[in-house]
Amino acid sequence: MKTHCSGVINMVNAGEMNGSGNLMDFLDEPFPDVGTYEDFHTIDWLREKSRDTDRHRKITSKSRESIWEFIKSLLDAWSGWVVMLLIGLLAGTLAGVIDLAVDWMTDLKEGVCLSAFWYSHEQCCWTSNETTFEDRDKCPLWQKWSELLVNQSEGASAYILNYFLYILWALSFAFLAVSLVRVFAPYACGSGIPEIKTILSGFIIRGYLGKWTLLIKTVTLVLVVSSGLSLGKEGPLVHVACCCGNFFSSLFSKYSKNEGKRREVLSAAAAAGVSVAFGAPIGGVLFSLEEVSYYFPLKTLWRSFFAALVAAFTLRSINPFGNSRLVLFYVEYHTPWYMAELFPFILLGVFGGLWGTLFIRCNIAWCRRRKTTQLGKYPVLEVIVVTAITAIIAYPNPYTRQSTSELISELFNDCGALESSQLCDYINDPNMTRPVDDIPDRPAGPGVYTAMWQLALALIFKIIITIFTFGMKIPSGLFIPSMAVGAMAGRMVGIGVEQLAYHHHDWIIFRNWCRPGADCVTPGLYAMVGAAACLGGVTRMTVSLVVIMFELTGGLEYIVPLMAAAVTSKWVADAFGKEGIYEAHIHLNGYPFLDVKDEFTHRTLATDVMRPRRGEPPLSVLTQDSMTVEDVETLIKETDYNGFPVVVSKDSERLIGFAQRRELILAIKNARQRQDGIVSNSIMYFTEEPPELPANSPHPLKLRRILNLSPFTVTDHTPMETVVDIFRKLGLRQCLVTRSGRLLGIITKKDVLRHMAQMANQDPESIMFN
Amino acid sequence: MLEVGEAFLGRRFSTEDAASPVTRRRKRKSRCRKRSGAEAGPDRAEMAAALAAGTTAWSGFLRLCFVFGLSFLALTGLLLVQLANAAKNFEDVRCKCICPPYKEHSGYIYNKNITQKDCDCLHVVEPMPVLGPDVEAYCLRCECKYEERSSVTIKVTIIIYLSILGLLLLYMVYLTLVEPILKRRLFGHSQLIQSDDDVGDHQPFANAHDVLARSRSRANVLNKVEYAQQRWKLQVQEQRKSVFDRHVVLS
């Protein structure tokens, strides 16, 4: 039996080195070389980098041998670009499918198209000739459910029937979504960005970026967005794009076998995800750089841009919104803004910061309650209850009945002469002969006043319900609800300023820049600024937010108001707490994420953090050549450390190197099975030459191969500031502490994170993973 | 074991990391056991090495073809989309002009299939309701927009999405309701009691261990598929435990 197992291992080794593989292998268990790290552990960045350098050097040296090898080396160099192209294509396609399906299913809650059931409301009435100016949205082909079932379109019974069916559809979509997530891919729930941030910093979560997660996340995302819940699709789209990135990188051995290189691909895929969510390629790259990625080499910058462009171009060819725009709320007006308006913009920034703080605190408290109490045992019931509440409260208010993207689009748009919504019900001057896009400020009609209090109610509702919605066991994103809250607040402030300017145009603050009869104030711009402020307050994005917003609006002249609001909201929100929503969720889950933005300013030393502390059992070490196989096996069985330092001997304690637990276990197992004469009493040695042994002693076991001869060491008086910096910049998992050359202790990443949590007066026991 | 990996920065790593994840130890053992019954003969190691060396070029070529094939598929998909756009429906392109009420004329919406450069009030609004000098004033108020869509894309997308959703629904119903009933009839009641998860949809996945242990015989495609399916079920069960039960991840 030994030969068969070793035969498997040898085939694995030879196979891995030559990059071969069978097409039927995807049904087999993955070969052990692929999954070299355990689940929920951190990778060794330096080792991955050195493996990649070795591979590259081997290919370069072989490329001079023959034409075929040269072509192979060219293909290896281009494989990165091919992967980016494929990721962009698939991400763009999936985003297009999601947009089209959401468009249709959202309208399904209210009615159905009789001529072709796959058309949404707008598409159904596209070809109709019966649309009139007054009822621009109605056409006989698309009927509400009450018209279809009981042949009535007005009246109390029709309203109640529509209401009831709306709730029914919303409940069925949400129930379907949570069941699919529960049965097929539990990792598909949530936003995905906190986990992707952790994965990109070196953590392994197997299955999080798998094919089933991709499929279920795409399918259920459509369902939950259509069900009218207060969530968005941007965060889940980043997860979907990263799943595509993982899938394509597993086709090339350059990326599938190297976890470090794979994370470069995932960074670029995240950029493509944001690019198709917002139609903002540059914003996507900056988002990946600022929010998601951990190490972002310059090579990744260019490749991310390429992936984001390909994704945006693919989405544009699918053309989901029928007008060659990538996002539903693309606006394109160029009315100027005035310096005096900076004051309300900054006020909106303050509102955004305050809302961000409120949301983060409440949401984390609710998620913690879900994690620790009985509430967490009924995920399906929770989703159904929240959907029911959302649907029941949302239907009566026209601003919450429509999908959030349409609401934002309506709020961002300026009121031309032809807008028929209530927000644009201004009192028009009948003698006005101005062209369409230069309407002066007008007094508000009754429709505007109705719209204002409806918006106020909708604002309060959205603020409250989003706290309970984000974090449920369904795919949920956070960008669109935040933008909706900000847009509603901004529009209300904008209309207020506009009416103030109209009715009191002789006040000192308006006199200089706003003459009667001029178009001074654009409430749509206030909505955009409010949306940027709220999004910045919650996620603490800076540059990427401004770039996304101005790519959304196409107007470079609005950069200054957007920046003012974003900066103000970030300052206000940072005054209350340093963490954005994603970092807060990372802390809630206890992921081992060493944030590059955290500053460590305490004056502790390495001795204060290293293990073993005073009173703890001494460090478990291996000696260079005096331990037997049995000793080592006992040590491994009794402790659960991930690695052991190797010293010269128990007396001198001078450090030789570091051995990983996993590799020790496998090396001993292989040796016992394969090599002759290895028994429990065999001496295990890490030196080049075997030690002097008396005659008749069993064959010694050489394990120098698995020894890391250059572990990172610091002295005991190294300040923790430096140690934290080393861990961050090099991506270390552990670091050894020596004094005068003798090994003193070990600091692991978990110890560093616990220490930082302790210094920040948080619970150090919340760090759960290695 | 072969050793490749030169000294780099004074450290030495071999590129073969013969390591299996902790959770997969059981399967690794069963895999070894699976092959233990094979015939004795020449050393498997040498045979395997020769086989690997011989198939290197072939499998490298296969991989290359696979990559090119995938790229071709993606590009042809894109081309098809363009073709579908080119051969559009007559009704999929239009210029829409909305004209508000003017004097005694009520507001009206005009649609016409016309090219983008001709999409303005003068070409689209027919018959013109006002005469002579009023035309310019009337047209200044009108807002004309060029719109196009692809009805084929919408239809294909929605139908594909609904079919995928339907398939997933059917599979879910099968896994949660039908499979336990079938297994109960085939294997009897006793095996289901072994699982300690008493929520309905855990039942089918709970038998994955037994099925894995049983499936060691003939390595044909069908058996491989079932083996892969049972392994997938185990993974999903693990994920479900971490997310829903222990709230360790994604809380």
PDB file of all heavy atoms in Angstrom, chain A residues 5 16 32 38 75 119 123 126 182 219 322 418 589 666 705, chain B residues 3 15 18-19 22 32 64 94 143 148-149 151 161 240 251:
ATOM      1  N   CYS A   5       0.280   4.716  -2.467  1.00  0.00           N
ATOM      2  CA  CYS A   5       0.089   6.092  -2.011  1.00  0.00           C
ATOM      3  C   CYS A   5       1.218   6.968  -2.474  1.00  0.00           C
ATOM      4  O   CYS A   5       1.026   8.078  -2.903  1.00  0.00           O
ATOM      5  CB  CYS A   5       0.006   6.119  -0.485  1.00  0.00           C
ATOM      6  SG  CYS A   5      -1.631   5.737   0.061  1.00  0.00           S
ATOM      7  N   GLU A  16       2.617  18.400 -10.950  1.00  0.00           N
ATOM      8  CA  GLU A  16       2.642  19.816 -10.579  1.00  0.00           C
ATOM      9  C   GLU A  16       3.778  20.519 -11.263  1.00  0.00           C
ATOM     10  O   GLU A  16       3.638  21.618 -11.739  1.00  0.00           O
ATOM     11  CB  GLU A  16       2.789  19.919  -9.066  1.00  0.00           C
ATOM     12  CG  GLU A  16       2.716  21.371  -8.633  1.00  0.00           C
ATOM     13  CD  GLU A  16       3.617  21.634  -7.460  1.00  0.00           C
ATOM     14  OE1 GLU A  16       3.977  20.644  -6.797  1.00  0.00           O
ATOM     15  OE2 GLU A  16       3.974  22.772  -7.225  1.00  0.00           O
ATOM     16  N   PRO A  32      -3.457  17.686  -3.873  1.00  0.00           N
ATOM     17  CA  PRO A  32      -3.035  18.372  -2.647  1.00  0.00           C
ATOM     18  C   PRO A  32      -2.185  19.599  -2.898  1.00  0.00           C
ATOM     19  O   PRO A  32      -2.168  20.501  -2.100  1.00  0.00           O
ATOM     20  CB  PRO A  32      -2.231  17.305  -1.892  1.00  0.00           C
ATOM     21  CG  PRO A  32      -2.730  16.027  -2.426  1.00  0.00           C
ATOM     22  CD  PRO A  32      -3.142  16.270  -3.825  1.00  0.00           C
ATOM     23  N   GLU A  38      -4.439  25.663   4.696  1.00  0.00           N
ATOM     24  CA  GLU A  38      -5.657  25.184   5.304  1.00  0.00           C
ATOM     25  C   GLU A  38      -6.711  26.273   5.259  1.00  0.00           C
ATOM     26  O   GLU A  38      -6.399  27.457   5.162  1.00  0.00           O
ATOM     27  CB  GLU A  38      -5.393  24.808   6.762  1.00  0.00           C
ATOM     28  CG  GLU A  38      -4.589  23.555   6.894  1.00  0.00           C
ATOM     29  CD  GLU A  38      -4.480  23.140   8.339  1.00  0.00           C
ATOM     30  OE1 GLU A  38      -5.314  23.555   9.135  1.00  0.00           O
ATOM     31  OE2 GLU A  38      -3.536  22.406   8.642  1.00  0.00           O
ATOM     32  N   LEU A  75       3.328  33.039 -24.023  1.00  0.00           N
ATOM     33  CA  LEU A  75       1.967  32.799 -23.549  1.00  0.00           C
ATOM     34  C   LEU A  75       1.864  33.009 -22.057  1.00  0.00           C
ATOM     35  O   LEU A  75       0.880  33.522 -21.554  1.00  0.00           O
ATOM     36  CB  LEU A  75       1.541  31.375 -23.896  1.00  0.00           C
ATOM     37  CG  LEU A  75       1.236  31.169 -25.365  1.00  0.00           C
ATOM     38  CD1 LEU A  75       1.004  29.700 -25.631  1.00  0.00           C
ATOM     39  CD2 LEU A  75       0.002  31.939 -25.750  1.00  0.00           C
ATOM     40  N   TYR A 119     -41.382  41.690 -21.080  1.00  0.00           N
ATOM     41  CA  TYR A 119     -41.114  43.121 -21.132  1.00  0.00           C
ATOM     42  C   TYR A 119     -41.478  43.769 -19.817  1.00  0.00           C
ATOM     43  O   TYR A 119     -42.509  43.491 -19.226  1.00  0.00           O
ATOM     44  CB  TYR A 119     -41.934  43.785 -22.236  1.00  0.00           C
ATOM     45  CG  TYR A 119     -41.348  43.619 -23.609  1.00  0.00           C
ATOM     46  CD1 TYR A 119     -42.168  43.460 -24.715  1.00  0.00           C
ATOM     47  CD2 TYR A 119     -39.979  43.640 -23.822  1.00  0.00           C
ATOM     48  CE1 TYR A 119     -41.648  43.315 -25.981  1.00  0.00           C
ATOM     49  CE2 TYR A 119     -39.454  43.491 -25.077  1.00  0.00           C
ATOM     50  CZ  TYR A 119     -40.293  43.331 -26.159  1.00  0.00           C
ATOM     51  OH  TYR A 119     -39.784  43.186 -27.403  1.00  0.00           O
ATOM     52  N   GLN A 123     -40.598  48.959 -21.367  1.00  0.00           N
ATOM     53  CA  GLN A 123     -40.387  48.292 -22.640  1.00  0.00           C
ATOM     54  C   GLN A 123     -41.705  47.912 -23.288  1.00  0.00           C
ATOM     55  O   GLN A 123     -41.836  47.909 -24.512  1.00  0.00           O
ATOM     56  CB  GLN A 123     -39.555  47.019 -22.430  1.00  0.00           C
ATOM     57  CG  GLN A 123     -38.205  47.246 -21.828  1.00  0.00           C
ATOM     58  CD  GLN A 123     -37.313  48.059 -22.729  1.00  0.00           C
ATOM     59  OE1 GLN A 123     -37.441  48.002 -23.947  1.00  0.00           O
ATOM     60  NE2 GLN A 123     -36.422  48.809 -22.134  1.00  0.00           N
ATOM     61  N   TRP A 126     -43.243  50.789 -25.092  1.00  0.00           N
ATOM     62  CA  TRP A 126     -42.307  51.395 -26.036  1.00  0.00           C
ATOM     63  C   TRP A 126     -42.969  51.613 -27.387  1.00  0.00           C
ATOM     64  O   TRP A 126     -42.876  52.676 -27.980  1.00  0.00           O
ATOM     65  CB  TRP A 126     -41.103  50.478 -26.167  1.00  0.00           C
ATOM     66  CG  TRP A 126     -40.092  50.852 -27.180  1.00  0.00           C
ATOM     67  CD1 TRP A 126     -40.187  50.744 -28.532  1.00  0.00           C
ATOM     68  CD2 TRP A 126     -38.812  51.372 -26.921  1.00  0.00           C
ATOM     69  NE1 TRP A 126     -39.040  51.180 -29.131  1.00  0.00           N
ATOM     70  CE2 TRP A 126     -38.176  51.555 -28.161  1.00  0.00           C
ATOM     71  CE3 TRP A 126     -38.118  51.711 -25.753  1.00  0.00           C
ATOM     72  CZ2 TRP A 126     -36.885  52.065 -28.273  1.00  0.00           C
ATOM     73  CZ3 TRP A 126     -36.836  52.208 -25.868  1.00  0.00           C
ATOM     74  CH2 TRP A 126     -36.241  52.378 -27.124  1.00  0.00           C
ATOM     75  N   ARG A 182     -29.616  29.280   1.345  1.00  0.00           N
ATOM     76  CA  ARG A 182     -29.428  28.325   2.420  1.00  0.00           C
ATOM     77  C   ARG A 182     -29.105  26.935   1.906  1.00  0.00           C
ATOM     78  O   ARG A 182     -28.271  26.236   2.458  1.00  0.00           O
ATOM     79  CB  ARG A 182     -30.704  28.285   3.256  1.00  0.00           C
ATOM     80  CG  ARG A 182     -30.429  27.628   4.536  1.00  0.00           C
ATOM     81  CD  ARG A 182     -31.669  27.229   5.235  1.00  0.00           C
ATOM     82  NE  ARG A 182     -31.219  26.411   6.334  1.00  0.00           N
ATOM     83  CZ  ARG A 182     -31.404  26.690   7.599  1.00  0.00           C
ATOM     84  NH1 ARG A 182     -32.074  27.753   7.908  1.00  0.00           N
ATOM     85  NH2 ARG A 182     -30.943  25.910   8.520  1.00  0.00           N
ATOM     86  N   VAL A 219     -28.130  34.826  -9.171  1.00  0.00           N
ATOM     87  CA  VAL A 219     -29.563  34.560  -9.265  1.00  0.00           C
ATOM     88  C   VAL A 219     -30.313  35.224  -8.110  1.00  0.00           C
ATOM     89  O   VAL A 219     -31.339  35.884  -8.298  1.00  0.00           O
ATOM     90  CB  VAL A 219     -29.794  33.043  -9.299  1.00  0.00           C
ATOM     91  CG1 VAL A 219     -31.247  32.722  -9.105  1.00  0.00           C
ATOM     92  CG2 VAL A 219     -29.312  32.471 -10.603  1.00  0.00           C
ATOM     93  N   GLY A 322     -31.275  50.724 -22.643  1.00  0.00           N
ATOM     94  CA  GLY A 322     -31.878  51.207 -23.868  1.00  0.00           C
ATOM     95  C   GLY A 322     -31.386  52.544 -24.338  1.00  0.00           C
ATOM     96  O   GLY A 322     -31.880  53.067 -25.312  1.00  0.00           O
ATOM     97  N   LEU A 418     -40.869  69.307 -19.301  1.00  0.00           N
ATOM     98  CA  LEU A 418     -41.686  68.173 -19.683  1.00  0.00           C
ATOM     99  C   LEU A 418     -41.751  67.097 -18.619  1.00  0.00           C
ATOM    100  O   LEU A 418     -42.322  66.058 -18.825  1.00  0.00           O
ATOM    101  CB  LEU A 418     -41.114  67.549 -20.962  1.00  0.00           C
ATOM    102  CG  LEU A 418     -40.966  68.575 -22.070  1.00  0.00           C
ATOM    103  CD1 LEU A 418     -40.220  67.968 -23.212  1.00  0.00           C
ATOM    104  CD2 LEU A 418     -42.335  69.020 -22.512  1.00  0.00           C
ATOM    105  N   ASN A 589     -16.649  40.083  12.842  1.00  0.00           N
ATOM    106  CA  ASN A 589     -16.428  38.671  12.545  1.00  0.00           C
ATOM    107  C   ASN A 589     -15.104  38.149  13.079  1.00  0.00           C
ATOM    108  O   ASN A 589     -14.873  36.949  13.055  1.00  0.00           O
ATOM    109  CB  ASN A 589     -16.439  38.456  11.036  1.00  0.00           C
ATOM    110  CG  ASN A 589     -17.831  38.489  10.469  1.00  0.00           C
ATOM    111  OD1 ASN A 589     -18.714  37.868  11.018  1.00  0.00           O
ATOM    112  ND2 ASN A 589     -18.021  39.215   9.401  1.00  0.00           N
ATOM    113  N   LEU A 666       3.152  16.017   7.268  1.00  0.00           N
ATOM    114  CA  LEU A 666       3.179  15.274   6.013  1.00  0.00           C
ATOM    115  C   LEU A 666       4.528  14.657   5.745  1.00  0.00           C
ATOM    116  O   LEU A 666       4.606  13.542   5.221  1.00  0.00           O
ATOM    117  CB  LEU A 666       2.800  16.228   4.884  1.00  0.00           C
ATOM    118  CG  LEU A 666       1.303  16.472   4.930  1.00  0.00           C
ATOM    119  CD1 LEU A 666       0.962  17.783   4.313  1.00  0.00           C
ATOM    120  CD2 LEU A 666       0.595  15.364   4.200  1.00  0.00           C
ATOM    121  N   ARG A 705      14.729  19.884   4.166  1.00  0.00           N
ATOM    122  CA  ARG A 705      13.958  20.395   3.035  1.00  0.00           C
ATOM    123  C   ARG A 705      12.786  21.279   3.455  1.00  0.00           C
ATOM    124  O   ARG A 705      12.393  22.196   2.762  1.00  0.00           O
ATOM    125  CB  ARG A 705      13.434  19.180   2.278  1.00  0.00           C
ATOM    126  CG  ARG A 705      13.063  19.401   0.862  1.00  0.00           C
ATOM    127  CD  ARG A 705      12.558  18.106   0.296  1.00  0.00           C
ATOM    128  NE  ARG A 705      11.495  17.566   1.111  1.00  0.00           N
ATOM    129  CZ  ARG A 705      11.590  16.456   1.828  1.00  0.00           C
ATOM    130  NH1 ARG A 705      12.698  15.745   1.836  1.00  0.00           N
ATOM    131  NH2 ARG A 705      10.589  16.032   2.550  1.00  0.00           N
TER     132      ARG A 705
ATOM    133  N   GLU B   3      13.381  17.535  -5.894  1.00  0.00           N
ATOM    134  CA  GLU B   3      13.523  18.784  -5.182  1.00  0.00           C
ATOM    135  C   GLU B   3      13.929  19.849  -6.167  1.00  0.00           C
ATOM    136  O   GLU B   3      14.985  19.807  -6.751  1.00  0.00           O
ATOM    137  CB  GLU B   3      14.624  18.612  -4.133  1.00  0.00           C
ATOM    138  CG  GLU B   3      14.548  19.609  -3.022  1.00  0.00           C
ATOM    139  CD  GLU B   3      15.579  19.235  -1.988  1.00  0.00           C
ATOM    140  OE1 GLU B   3      16.755  19.492  -2.238  1.00  0.00           O
ATOM    141  OE2 GLU B   3      15.191  18.671  -0.968  1.00  0.00           O
ATOM    142  N   THR B  15       9.328  23.018  -4.438  1.00  0.00           N
ATOM    143  CA  THR B  15       8.094  23.460  -5.065  1.00  0.00           C
ATOM    144  C   THR B  15       6.979  22.459  -4.933  1.00  0.00           C
ATOM    145  O   THR B  15       5.838  22.758  -5.179  1.00  0.00           O
ATOM    146  CB  THR B  15       8.300  23.724  -6.565  1.00  0.00           C
ATOM    147  OG1 THR B  15       8.934  22.596  -7.131  1.00  0.00           O
ATOM    148  CG2 THR B  15       9.141  24.953  -6.759  1.00  0.00           C
ATOM    149  N   ALA B  18       3.669  18.609  -0.773  1.00  0.00           N
ATOM    150  CA  ALA B  18       2.760  17.481  -0.643  1.00  0.00           C
ATOM    151  C   ALA B  18       2.004  17.646   0.653  1.00  0.00           C
ATOM    152  O   ALA B  18       2.406  17.184   1.691  1.00  0.00           O
ATOM    153  CB  ALA B  18       3.557  16.177  -0.632  1.00  0.00           C
ATOM    154  N   ALA B  19       0.920  18.364   0.586  1.00  0.00           N
ATOM    155  CA  ALA B  19       0.160  18.646   1.797  1.00  0.00           C
ATOM    156  C   ALA B  19      -1.307  18.561   1.466  1.00  0.00           C
ATOM    157  O   ALA B  19      -1.727  19.014   0.413  1.00  0.00           O
ATOM    158  CB  ALA B  19       0.499  20.031   2.328  1.00  0.00           C
ATOM    159  N   VAL B  22      -6.584  19.915   6.248  1.00  0.00           N
ATOM    160  CA  VAL B  22      -6.964  19.102   7.397  1.00  0.00           C
ATOM    161  C   VAL B  22      -8.305  18.432   7.161  1.00  0.00           C
ATOM    162  O   VAL B  22      -8.508  17.270   7.463  1.00  0.00           O
ATOM    163  CB  VAL B  22      -7.042  20.001   8.649  1.00  0.00           C
ATOM    164  CG1 VAL B  22      -7.583  19.233   9.817  1.00  0.00           C
ATOM    165  CG2 VAL B  22      -5.667  20.539   8.969  1.00  0.00           C
ATOM    166  N   CYS B  32      -6.258   6.574  -0.980  1.00  0.00           N
ATOM    167  CA  CYS B  32      -5.179   5.596  -0.941  1.00  0.00           C
ATOM    168  C   CYS B  32      -5.753   4.211  -0.875  1.00  0.00           C
ATOM    169  O   CYS B  32      -5.294   3.297  -1.546  1.00  0.00           O
ATOM    170  CB  CYS B  32      -4.287   5.852   0.280  1.00  0.00           C
ATOM    171  SG  CYS B  32      -3.137   7.194   0.023  1.00  0.00           S
ATOM    172  N   LEU B  64      -3.759  24.933 -23.670  1.00  0.00           N
ATOM    173  CA  LEU B  64      -3.668  26.066 -24.589  1.00  0.00           C
ATOM    174  C   LEU B  64      -4.928  26.155 -25.440  1.00  0.00           C
ATOM    175  O   LEU B  64      -5.522  27.214 -25.605  1.00  0.00           O
ATOM    176  CB  LEU B  64      -2.459  25.823 -25.498  1.00  0.00           C
ATOM    177  CG  LEU B  64      -1.637  27.047 -25.863  1.00  0.00           C
ATOM    178  CD1 LEU B  64      -1.074  27.640 -24.606  1.00  0.00           C
ATOM    179  CD2 LEU B  64      -0.503  26.608 -26.773  1.00  0.00           C
ATOM    180  N   ARG B  94     -36.098  54.317 -32.395  1.00  0.00           N
ATOM    181  CA  ARG B  94     -37.093  55.358 -32.599  1.00  0.00           C
ATOM    182  C   ARG B  94     -36.547  56.689 -32.140  1.00  0.00           C
ATOM    183  O   ARG B  94     -35.592  56.757 -31.372  1.00  0.00           O
ATOM    184  CB  ARG B  94     -38.357  55.051 -31.832  1.00  0.00           C
ATOM    185  CG  ARG B  94     -38.157  55.203 -30.348  1.00  0.00           C
ATOM    186  CD  ARG B  94     -39.419  54.994 -29.586  1.00  0.00           C
ATOM    187  NE  ARG B  94     -39.200  55.181 -28.163  1.00  0.00           N
ATOM    188  CZ  ARG B  94     -40.105  54.962 -27.257  1.00  0.00           C
ATOM    189  NH1 ARG B  94     -41.301  54.544 -27.595  1.00  0.00           N
ATOM    190  NH2 ARG B  94     -39.842  55.172 -25.986  1.00  0.00           N
ATOM    191  N   GLU B 143     -39.057  68.292 -26.795  1.00  0.00           N
ATOM    192  CA  GLU B 143     -37.810  67.620 -26.409  1.00  0.00           C
ATOM    193  C   GLU B 143     -37.736  66.313 -27.170  1.00  0.00           C
ATOM    194  O   GLU B 143     -38.620  65.465 -27.038  1.00  0.00           O
ATOM    195  CB  GLU B 143     -37.844  67.357 -24.914  1.00  0.00           C
ATOM    196  CG  GLU B 143     -36.528  66.927 -24.337  1.00  0.00           C
ATOM    197  CD  GLU B 143     -36.662  66.736 -22.833  1.00  0.00           C
ATOM    198  OE1 GLU B 143     -36.797  67.751 -22.143  1.00  0.00           O
ATOM    199  OE2 GLU B 143     -36.669  65.582 -22.401  1.00  0.00           O
ATOM    200  N   GLU B 148     -32.774  53.554 -28.551  1.00  0.00           N
ATOM    201  CA  GLU B 148     -32.783  52.250 -29.189  1.00  0.00           C
ATOM    202  C   GLU B 148     -32.706  51.177 -28.115  1.00  0.00           C
ATOM    203  O   GLU B 148     -32.212  51.396 -27.030  1.00  0.00           O
ATOM    204  CB  GLU B 148     -31.616  52.097 -30.165  1.00  0.00           C
ATOM    205  CG  GLU B 148     -30.265  52.230 -29.540  1.00  0.00           C
ATOM    206  CD  GLU B 148     -29.177  51.978 -30.558  1.00  0.00           C
ATOM    207  OE1 GLU B 148     -29.375  51.124 -31.437  1.00  0.00           O
ATOM    208  OE2 GLU B 148     -28.139  52.628 -30.477  1.00  0.00           O
ATOM    209  N   ARG B 149     -33.195  50.022 -28.448  1.00  0.00           N
ATOM    210  CA  ARG B 149     -33.138  48.906 -27.534  1.00  0.00           C
ATOM    211  C   ARG B 149     -32.967  47.647 -28.361  1.00  0.00           C
ATOM    212  O   ARG B 149     -33.052  47.686 -29.589  1.00  0.00           O
ATOM    213  CB  ARG B 149     -34.422  48.815 -26.727  1.00  0.00           C
ATOM    214  CG  ARG B 149     -35.576  48.405 -27.602  1.00  0.00           C
ATOM    215  CD  ARG B 149     -36.759  47.992 -26.813  1.00  0.00           C
ATOM    216  NE  ARG B 149     -37.798  47.487 -27.713  1.00  0.00           N
ATOM    217  CZ  ARG B 149     -38.996  47.119 -27.306  1.00  0.00           C
ATOM    218  NH1 ARG B 149     -39.309  47.208 -26.035  1.00  0.00           N
ATOM    219  NH2 ARG B 149     -39.878  46.669 -28.163  1.00  0.00           N
ATOM    220  N   SER B 151     -34.745  44.133 -28.455  1.00  0.00           N
ATOM    221  CA  SER B 151     -35.785  43.289 -27.882  1.00  0.00           C
ATOM    222  C   SER B 151     -35.335  41.839 -27.841  1.00  0.00           C
ATOM    223  O   SER B 151     -35.736  41.076 -26.959  1.00  0.00           O
ATOM    224  CB  SER B 151     -37.077  43.420 -28.681  1.00  0.00           C
ATOM    225  OG  SER B 151     -36.813  43.224 -30.041  1.00  0.00           O
ATOM    226  N   TYR B 161     -32.674  33.473 -17.832  1.00  0.00           N
ATOM    227  CA  TYR B 161     -32.686  33.639 -16.373  1.00  0.00           C
ATOM    228  C   TYR B 161     -33.798  32.812 -15.742  1.00  0.00           C
ATOM    229  O   TYR B 161     -33.587  32.133 -14.733  1.00  0.00           O
ATOM    230  CB  TYR B 161     -32.866  35.116 -16.021  1.00  0.00           C
ATOM    231  CG  TYR B 161     -32.968  35.347 -14.550  1.00  0.00           C
ATOM    232  CD1 TYR B 161     -31.840  35.326 -13.753  1.00  0.00           C
ATOM    233  CD2 TYR B 161     -34.191  35.542 -13.936  1.00  0.00           C
ATOM    234  CE1 TYR B 161     -31.921  35.500 -12.402  1.00  0.00           C
ATOM    235  CE2 TYR B 161     -34.290  35.715 -12.583  1.00  0.00           C
ATOM    236  CZ  TYR B 161     -33.152  35.697 -11.823  1.00  0.00           C
ATOM    237  OH  TYR B 161     -33.238  35.857 -10.470  1.00  0.00           O
ATOM    238  N   ARG B 240     -22.680  25.861   5.681  1.00  0.00           N
ATOM    239  CA  ARG B 240     -23.915  26.203   6.370  1.00  0.00           C
ATOM    240  C   ARG B 240     -23.692  26.226   7.869  1.00  0.00           C
ATOM    241  O   ARG B 240     -24.200  27.090   8.579  1.00  0.00           O
ATOM    242  CB  ARG B 240     -24.991  25.190   6.015  1.00  0.00           C
ATOM    243  CG  ARG B 240     -26.376  25.752   6.165  1.00  0.00           C
ATOM    244  CD  ARG B 240     -27.402  24.740   5.846  1.00  0.00           C
ATOM    245  NE  ARG B 240     -27.425  24.412   4.439  1.00  0.00           N
ATOM    246  CZ  ARG B 240     -27.534  23.187   3.961  1.00  0.00           C
ATOM    247  NH1 ARG B 240     -27.604  22.172   4.783  1.00  0.00           N
ATOM    248  NH2 ARG B 240     -27.570  22.977   2.672  1.00  0.00           N
ATOM    249  N   SER B 251     -21.411  37.181   9.699  1.00  0.00           N
ATOM    250  CA  SER B 251     -22.522  37.443  10.603  1.00  0.00           C
ATOM    251  C   SER B 251     -23.097  38.832  10.367  1.00  0.00           C
ATOM    252  O   SER B 251     -22.439  39.675   9.780  1.00  0.00           O
ATOM    253  CB  SER B 251     -22.053  37.337  12.029  1.00  0.00           C
ATOM    254  OG  SER B 251     -20.907  38.134  12.199  1.00  0.00           O
TER     255      SER B 251
END
